[in-house]
Amino acid sequence: MTDHTPATALRVSHVELYVTDAEAAASAFVDGYGFQVCATAERGGGPEGASRSLALRQADIVLVVTQALDDTHPAAAFVARHGDGIADIALSAADAREAFADAVSRSAVPLAEPAERDGWVTAAVAAGFDDVRHTLVQRPAGHTDTAVPLPGFEPVAEPAEVSGEPVGLTVLDHVAVSVPMGQLAESTGYYERVFGYASVYEELMVQGTEAMDSKAVRSPAGDLTFTVLAPSPEHDAGHLGDFLERHGSGGVHHLAFATPDIVTAVDRMLERGIVFLGTPDTYYDRLEQRLKLNRHSMAELRKARILADEDHGGQLFQIFTRTVHPRRTVFYEIIERAGADSFGGGNVRALYDAVQAEKAEHEAAAHADGEGA
């Protein structure tokens, strides 16, 4: 693997979602997750089409929601195919022209040649899965306001105060991607070859008749990790197959936001109306035997339905939101790391076992009731 020079080193700039209604999407992040609208952009026509965008920030997380205002903007076709979803994982570069040339020389698919506007330089290459892209962003000299993600955005003069207690989300921990069967090696290999990513995790996870191949790759800067999942050819496609069918292809199925205190973050998000996936009590009964917790109490985890896992580096705590997407695709993860570097693979197995055990208990109780009748 060739070293990447400082001029082409890339870090996360922002994540852009294409949506049907930018105001509604922004309000969902503000009201439910504690983000703050910090910049807006109106683009009128031209080859790229007309659009409206709002940029939102919380700590070091910057999200952009973009709505097409005519059929020529790429957001229109994206939303028609997938519904609202993650379309662009933008990367900041010290030299966008050199970063673009370097990526293309390593077989990246070019989508937009470098262009300069108001001192900004942007370009774009394809991501390693379906129609997601990576915009490369070079800011003007001396421009340090990360709340303004792209040229054409105007900062909000007086951002509205965040209502309620701060949620406490800090950074984008990882991006979870689903790809069709047989495309895992191709997708992760793209990042290893083009951007110099390193493999940090690989596992076949089997639950009953379902299974998925998984591999995580991390950027040289260490601030962007993709966990890529694909149905295993020897097993049922299961929920990954459901996502691929409903989404219309491979793509991002969730973003994971990190927090230093997941119990507090979840409590405050619940107050804001966010609904999380439930976890059976059997999971926590078994967790007491599986882990000796180094943070939070078992009672706190049980009450909030937070999951816990452990690897050689330490423990992690995670929970997933219930999707409100019309196609039941995109959702979000909240994660706290206490030394762990993995992604909760042990929870996949533990949850499956807990669900199966609880199902068996209910069936046994129903059978006993039937005999006693």
Side-chain angles (χ1 to χ4, degrees), residues 36-41 53-57 62-65 146-149 153 156:
Q36 185 179 46
V37 176
C38 50
T40 62
S53 297
L54 294 90
L56 306 102
R57 181 171 62 180
V62 178
L63 305 177
V64 175
V65 292
T146 57
V148 179
F153 275 76
V156 174

Side-chain angles (χ1 to χ4, degrees), residues 131-370:
D131 52 0
V132 178
R133 63 196 277 142
H134 295 301
T135 294
L136 309 176
V137 183
Q138 176 186 333
R139 296 175 178 278
H143 190 289
T144 58
D145 186 2
T146 57
V148 179
L150 289 166
F153 275 76
E154 292 294 332
V156 174
E158 296 183 10
E161 292 291 331
V162 177
S163 63
E165 293 290 328
V167 172
L169 307 181
T170 55
V171 298
L172 181 66
D173 184 88
H174 62 273
V175 177
V177 177
S178 290
V179 297
M181 188 182 300
Q183 293 187 16
L184 179 67
E186 177 184 346
S187 295
T188 55
Y190 184 86
Y191 286 97
E192 293 169 332
R193 182 178 68 255
V194 171
F195 298 112
Y197 280 43
S199 174
V200 294
Y201 177 84
E202 194 166 0
E203 184 180 12
L204 172 65
M205 291 183 280
V206 181
Q207 306 92 41
T209 63
E210 300 179 19
M212 56 186 175
D213 286 310
S214 65
K215 183 176 180 179
V217 290
R218 182 167 295 150
S219 67
D223 69 330
L224 180 57
T225 302
F226 289 103
T227 60
V228 185
L229 311 170
S232 169
E234 289 83 21
H235 300 78
D236 294 340
H239 71 279
L240 283 189
D242 293 341
F243 170 86
L244 294 168
E245 181 178 355
R246 292 194 295 259
H247 187 67
S249 69
V252 177
H253 63 72
H254 78 260
L255 302 176
F257 301 131
T259 177
D261 184 350
I262 193 168
V263 171
T264 298
V266 168
D267 183 58
R268 291 176 178 175
M269 290 172 68
L270 286 168
E271 291 177 354
R272 291 169 171 272
I274 295 297
V275 179
F276 294 95
L277 292 179
T279 303
D281 283 327
T282 311
Y283 170 87
Y284 297 97
D285 297 338
R286 295 178 170 217
L287 182 60
E288 291 184 283
Q289 304 166 19
R290 187 163 63 93
L291 290 183
K292 181 178 180 180
L293 297 173
N294 60 22
R295 290 206 61 181
H296 309 302
S297 68
M298 191 65 66
E300 287 175 320
L301 300 185
R302 185 186 290 265
K303 179 182 178 183
R305 318 316 280 183
I306 294 168
L307 309 174
D309 201 11
E310 189 171 52
D311 64 20
H312 63 279
Q315 295 181 357
L316 66 82
F317 306 91
Q318 61 190 154
I319 192 169
F320 300 90
T321 65
R322 188 177 298 279
T323 181
V324 295
H325 196 286
R327 301 191 188 189
R328 294 177 290 117
T329 49
V330 179
F331 58 97
Y332 301 96
E333 175 183 354
I334 311 302
I335 185 168
E336 176 189 344
R337 295 188 181 275
D341 195 43
S342 55
F343 303 91
N347 278 326
V348 176
R349 293 181 292 273
L351 267 176
Y352 178 83
D353 291 343
V355 169
Q356 293 301 109
E358 190 166 87
K359 180 180 177 182
E361 289 175 5
H362 286 316
E363 290 175 349
H367 180 71
D369 290 342

Side-chain angles (χ1 to χ4, degrees), residues 25-69:
S27 293
F29 283 116
V30 170
D31 297 340
Y33 294 84
F35 281 82
Q36 185 179 46
V37 176
C38 50
T40 62
E42 295 273 357
R43 301 178 181 89
E48 285 289 314
S51 65
R52 172 167 171 73
S53 297
L54 294 90
L56 306 102
R57 181 171 62 180
Q58 182 170 178
D60 291 329
I61 307 167
V62 178
L63 305 177
V64 175
V65 292
T66 295
Q67 171 187 349
L69 300 180

